[in-house]
Amino acid sequence: MREIYLSGYNNFVLPFMLGMTFCLVWCFFGAARIIIQLPGSDRKKFFLSLINPKTMAKNIRDWFCDCLFHVKLWKRNKLLGYMHSSIAFGWFMLIVIGHIEVMLYTPDRVHKIWYPIFFRYFVAVTEKTMKGSFFFFLMDFFLLVVLSGIILAIVKRAHSKLFGMRRTTRPSLPDLIGLYSLWCIFPLRLLAEGFTADISGGSFLTKSLNVVLHSFLSDSMNMLPTWWAYSIALGIFMCVLPFSRYMHIPAEILLIPMRNAGIKISSARKGFAKIQVNSCPSCGVCIDACPMGAVKANIKDSTVYLNRQLKRGNSRRIEEISDKCLLCGKCTAVCPVGVEGDKIRIAQRATKQYNLCPDYSNIGTESFKIDYNKNVIGLNKHVSNIENKRVLYFAGCMTALTPVIMKSMTSLLGKAGISYAVMDKDGGICCGRPMMMAGRKEPALEMIAKNTEIIKSSGADILLLSCPICYKVFRESYRLEGIRIMHHTEYLESLISEGRLSLRKNDVRYVYHDPCELGRGCGIYESPRKVISSAGSLVEAGKHHKESICCGGSVGSLSLGFDKRKALTESALTSLTAESPDVIVTACPLCRSTFNRYSDRPVNDIAEIVDKSSL
C-alpha cells in the first residue's frame, strides 16, 4: 500500500486536471480578449497601473477584502458575509497550505500540479512529515471553516431571509450544476482524507472521522472511490465555471486592477463592461435594493438578470431591461463587487440610433450676458472663504418647473449679501444629463460645449446648482477650471457655518430624502443633514444614505409606466414617514414635485426651510 502512496500519481487526478486545464485556458483567452477590446488609451493605462507600486498595493488589498473576505457583505449582513468569506478564504488557505506542505516535505514533487490538491493520498506518515502536524491542524481547521460555509449556503437556499435577503436569483442550469458540485467538493474531500488519515496523517477532524469509518468498515476496503469522487466534483465545477455564476471568481481578479487603473465603461457588451458582467456573483443583493423590486414589479428587470441576458446575448430583453431602469444607482451602491448596473444600461442605450438634438451652434454668449451688478446686495467687508466670490446660479430645467426653489435661493443669496447672477433666469440650455442618461452622448456634448462657453465667459468663481441631476453632470462631464462647482446644500452649509446666514431653530421634525443623483451619485449626505439640523429636529427615514429609495419620478427610465412610478413613490414615502416627521425635506426639484403628488404632509426643498428659518 505504501508504494502506491509514494508513487505520486494515480488516474483519479485526471478529472481534476482536465477541468482545471479547460478552465485556465478559457479564462486566459477570455481575459486577453477583454484587454484587446479596451480602447488603446485604457489598455495603456491598465498595463502602466500594473507596474505602479501604489496601485498594485491597492489591488492586493482589494483582492483580499473583496474576493476573499467579502468585507462589503459583512457590513450588510454578518451571516451572509461569513458564508461567502468562509468558503472563499477557507478554500484559498487550503490551496496555499497544501503548496507549503509540498515544498517543505516533498519538494521533488512541487512540479506535479495535482500534488498539493491530493497530498493526503500520495504521502504516508514518516518522521519527516509528522513535523508538519501544525499544518495538519491548519488543513483540518480550514476544511471545517469551508464546510460551515457550505452548510450555511444550503440553509440560505431555503431560508434567505435569515441572511437579510427577501429574494434571491433563480439559478440557471449551469448555475445549479456548479452549485451542487461545489457543495459536494468539500464533504468528499473530508471523506477521502478521513479514509487515509491513519496512513497519511491528519488532525482533529480527519483523524476522528478515520476512527469512526474504521469502526464499521473493513481496513482492507479500497478508498479510491472517494478520491475519484472528490476529483470528479472538482473537474465538473471547473468545467462548468465559465458558463455559470461562478465565473465571478476569476473575473473579479481582473476587474479589480482594471477598476483601480481608472478604466470606465465605454461599451455595454465588451471590454470593461464585459468583465463587470462576468464578475457578477448573482448573489441577488441588487434585487432587494432595486426600488422596482420593492413594489413587486418584475424582479427580472434588476441588474443581476440584465447581466445574465448580456452573457446570453438576448438583445430584446437587454434593451427592455435597460430602457425601463430608473438609473437610481442603488444596485451599484450595494453590489459587493462594484458592478455598475446604471452605467452599463446607459452604454446599452447609446447603441441605439437617435435624431440629433437642436442646433445650438448659432447661439452666442451675447444671448446670455451676465451682469452681477444688478444682483449685488450689501456685501460685507470682512474676509471669508466665500467673500467676494461671484456666484453664477444655474437653476436648471427641473428647478424652473418648481419656481419656489429659485425664489428661496435668490432670497437667501440676498440675505447673505452674495454677488450673484442667474444664468438661466430667462431660459437656457439643458445641462445635458438627461441626454446622457438616454445614451445620447453626442447631443449631450453639444449642450455641454455651449454651456461651458457661456459659464467661462461669465467670470464666475462659483457655479451654484440646486438640481442634483445638473450637479452630477457639471462635476463629471464639464471642464470648468478655476470655477468651483457647488450644490446648494453644500453652499448653504458654508453660508451658515461662516455666519453669513443665521437660522432660528424650531421644534419641527424634519426627515430628509437623499436624492439618487446627489447621494449615491455624488456622495453628498452630511451637508444637507447639517443644514436641516440647524433649522429643526432631524429624524432618519427607514431607508437612507446609500439605501435611500428613489422617488419614482426619475428621468432615467425611458419606458416605466405611470402606475409603476406611483407605486415607487408610495414605497419611498412609507420609508420617509417611518418616524412620523412633520415635514419631508429633499434637495432635488424633481423629488419635491413627485412626492408632493401623494404625500399626506408638506414636502419642501432644503432651500425653502432655510429661507423660512433665516433671521
Side-chain angles (χ1 to χ4, degrees), residues 342-379:
D342 51 342
K343 293 180 181 177
I344 291 174
R345 286 173 168 88
I346 291 174
Q348 166 59 31
R349 293 176 182 182
T351 62
K352 296 181 180 181
Q353 297 297 317
Y354 295 101
N355 294 324
L356 290 176
C357 69
D359 182 13
Y360 296 108
S361 60
N362 61 350
I363 299 179
T365 54
E366 66 277 0
S367 301
F368 297 89
K369 292 287 186 181
I370 307 300
D371 186 356
Y372 292 93
N373 295 325
K374 291 182 180 179
N375 302 293
V376 176
I377 304 174
L379 288 174

Side-chain angles (χ1 to χ4, degrees), residues 320-337:
E320 181 183 347
I321 296 173
S322 297
D323 286 354
K324 190 179 293 184
C325 179
L326 294 158
L327 300 183
C328 72
K330 195 171 179 182
C331 58
T332 301
V334 303
C335 179
V337 299

Side-chain angles (χ1 to χ4, degrees), residues 163-199:
F163 298 78
M165 300 177 68
R166 291 181 294 120
R167 302 178 182 88
T168 57
T169 52
R170 296 176 184 175
S172 62
L173 180 59
D175 288 345
L176 286 173
I177 295 172
L179 179 69
Y180 293 136
S181 60
L182 178 63
W183 286 358
C184 290
I185 288 171
F186 299 99
L188 288 171
R189 175 171 180 151
L190 174 62
L191 188 62
E193 292 186 351
F195 265 115
T196 58
D198 57 329
I199 301 173

Side-chain angles (χ1 to χ4, degrees), residues 1-14 16-17 102 105-106 109 112-126 129 192-193 196 199-201 223-224 227 230-231:
M1 182 69 70
R2 180 168 296 185
E3 291 179 0
I4 296 175
Y5 283 90
L6 295 178
S7 67
Y9 175 79
N10 190 289
N11 285 336
F12 73 73
V13 307
L14 289 176
F16 161 74
M17 287 299 297
V102 173
Y105 305 116
T106 55
R109 294 179 178 176
K112 298 179 184 293
I113 298 174
W114 64 86
Y115 210 77
I117 309 301
F118 304 104
F119 186 73
R120 289 289 177 273
Y121 178 86
F122 293 115
V123 176
V125 172
T126 65
T129 59
E193 292 186 351
T196 58
I199 301 173
S200 60
M223 73 286 295
L224 271 177
W227 287 97
Y230 172 47
S231 180

Side-chain angles (χ1 to χ4, degrees), residues 2 15 46 58 75 97 116 126 221 239 250 266 331 367 390 434 472 514 522 545 561 572 589 596 612:
R2 180 168 296 185
F46 171 66
K58 190 174 191 311
K75 291 179 180 178
I97 297 170
T126 65
M221 181 178 178
C239 283
S266 57
C331 58
S367 301
R390 289 178 295 182
K472 184 174 173 63
D514 290 285
C522 298
H545 285 76
N596 256 327
K612 292 174 185 175

